[in-house]
């Protein structure tokens, strides 16, 4: 789970809506007060469908194709460094690691490690920032889809007035598969974002992203498809953020994405694995997608916070082969994620985090259908 479960989606959506809000600020920490902060977490977790396979498997399915349920131990750690630099410089370094240990079947264990670097320089109402994120993800059961992804960005931010601010950026992405280099690809592109702060408690944002992807388009061993030769991807995002008086934040987003690929290559590399709130693989091509999210948090008391999250995705892939003859037909997926969790402050900086999460997919390809229930109970220490 990105960050540490209960606050993971909250921080992610806040980052998106605010166009890069520092993690420390999102968690109520002040950079003047703390140079080093972070979290340590240990949790027990039950997952009803570790492999995310279809519930309509054929009767002659192999044993390793059966749907697996599991009890796992999850460990995570986050370290945020905000060293004090002479103005107008600003530096943030984030290190994060998470692992799910499946004691009864270690092959289903997985881990992810991520590092973020943000270096900013202020120029009056403008800020120039250099951002870099590197992340390694191990895939359960196999090494074919273990991968490293690095995203580097150069971003210009300008505050025009109390109402308007804008961001303009260039991005470069490199995605590497150490055991299957025919899947490797890279992308270059950019984005433009505008944000309106209508009132101190309500704001909206609008963004457009374009990326040009290049891959191998070649077949690897055993006729395995590589990444597409090239791809043009357009993304439009809109969102809002509202802080309801005395209750908590309400955030919503809508995303439209269109990817047009050419040449030979896989439409989807890997499966939906890893972090629980992830409904999609990062490496997918030649699709049209609509995505909506809604997040609400309510502070029940100074020790107890309730959070609700919902996500709905509808996407269509075109010209996918579905039989031995190679005849292609359109594939449509409808994915749903819903989650409810509590953040309970036990004592000092110790927190208890129970959570329930449901995710599913209904596809025109039966093999892509799945349902998944996840129950989680974690203990977290913040410093």
């Amino acid at each position: 789970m990105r960050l540490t479960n209960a606050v993971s989606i909250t921080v992610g959506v806040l980052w998106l809506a605010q166009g890069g809000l520092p993690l420390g600020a999102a968690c109520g920490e002040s950079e003047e007060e703390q140079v080093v902060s972070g979290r340590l977490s240990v949790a027990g977790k039950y997952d009803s469908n570790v492999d995310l396979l279809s519930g309509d498997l054929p009767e002659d399915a192999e044993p390793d194709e059966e749907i697996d349920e599991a009890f796992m131990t999850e460990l995570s750690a986050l370290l945020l460094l905000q060293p004090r630099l002479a103005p107008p410089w600003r530096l943030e370094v984030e290190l994060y690691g998470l692992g799910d240990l499946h004691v009864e079947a270690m092959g289903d264990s997985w881990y992810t490690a991520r590092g973020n670097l943000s270096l900013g320089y202020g120029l009056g109402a403008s800020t120039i920032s250099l951002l870099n994120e590197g992340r390694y993800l191990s895939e359960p059961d196999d090494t074919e889809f273990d991968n490293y992804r690095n995203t580097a960005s150069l971003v210009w931010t300008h505050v025009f007035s109390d109402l308007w601010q804008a961001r303009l950026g260039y991005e470069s992405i490199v995605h590497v598969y150490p055991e299957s280099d025919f899947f490797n690809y890279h992308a270059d592109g950019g984005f433009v974002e505008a944000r309106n702060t209508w009132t101190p408690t309500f704001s909206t944002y609008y963004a457009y992203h374009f990326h040009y992807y290049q891959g191998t388009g070649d077949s690897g061993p055993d006729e395995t498809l590589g990444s597409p030769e090239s791809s043009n991807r357009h993304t439009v995002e809109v969102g809002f953020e509202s802080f309801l008086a005395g209750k908590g934040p309400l955030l919503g987003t809508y995303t439209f994405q269109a990817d047009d690929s050419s040449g030979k290559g896989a439409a989807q590399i890997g499966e939906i694995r890893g972090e629980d709130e992830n409904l999609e693989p990062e490496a997918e091509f030649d699709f049209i997608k609509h995505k909506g999210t809604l997040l609400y948090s309510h502070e029940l008391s100074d020790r107890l916070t309730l959070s609700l999250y919902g996500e709905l995705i509808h996407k269509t892939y075109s010209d996918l082969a579905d039989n031995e003859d190679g005849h292609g037909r359109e594939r449509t997926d409808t994915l749903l994620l819903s989650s409810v969790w509590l953040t309970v402050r036990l004592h000092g900086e110790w927190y208890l985090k129970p959570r329930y999460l449901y995710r599913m997919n209904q596809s025109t390809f039966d093999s892509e259908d799945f349902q998944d229930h996840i129950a989680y109970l974690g203990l977290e220490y913040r410093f």
Side-chain angles (χ1 to χ4, degrees), residues 111-164:
Y111 69 89
T112 184
R114 184 176 71 246
N116 288 299
L117 170 68
S118 174
L119 179 63
Y121 183 82
L123 298 168
S126 298
T127 302
I128 298 177
S129 302
L130 177 64
L131 312 174
N132 192 85
E133 178 183 86
R135 190 221 61 193
Y136 188 88
L137 174 66
S138 73
E139 283 280 356
D141 294 323
D142 58 59
T143 59
E144 182 181 10
F145 296 119
D146 286 12
N147 62 88
Y148 174 77
R149 184 182 181 94
N150 194 87
T151 303
S153 307
L154 182 63
V155 181
W156 172 75
T157 304
H158 186 80
V159 179
F160 293 97
S161 67
D162 292 340
L163 179 62
W164 284 96

Side-chain angles (χ1 to χ4, degrees), residues 224-237:
T224 300
L225 289 174
S227 56
E229 289 180 357
S230 64
S231 176
N232 294 311
R233 182 169 303 179
H234 303 267
T235 306
V236 177
E237 301 174 358

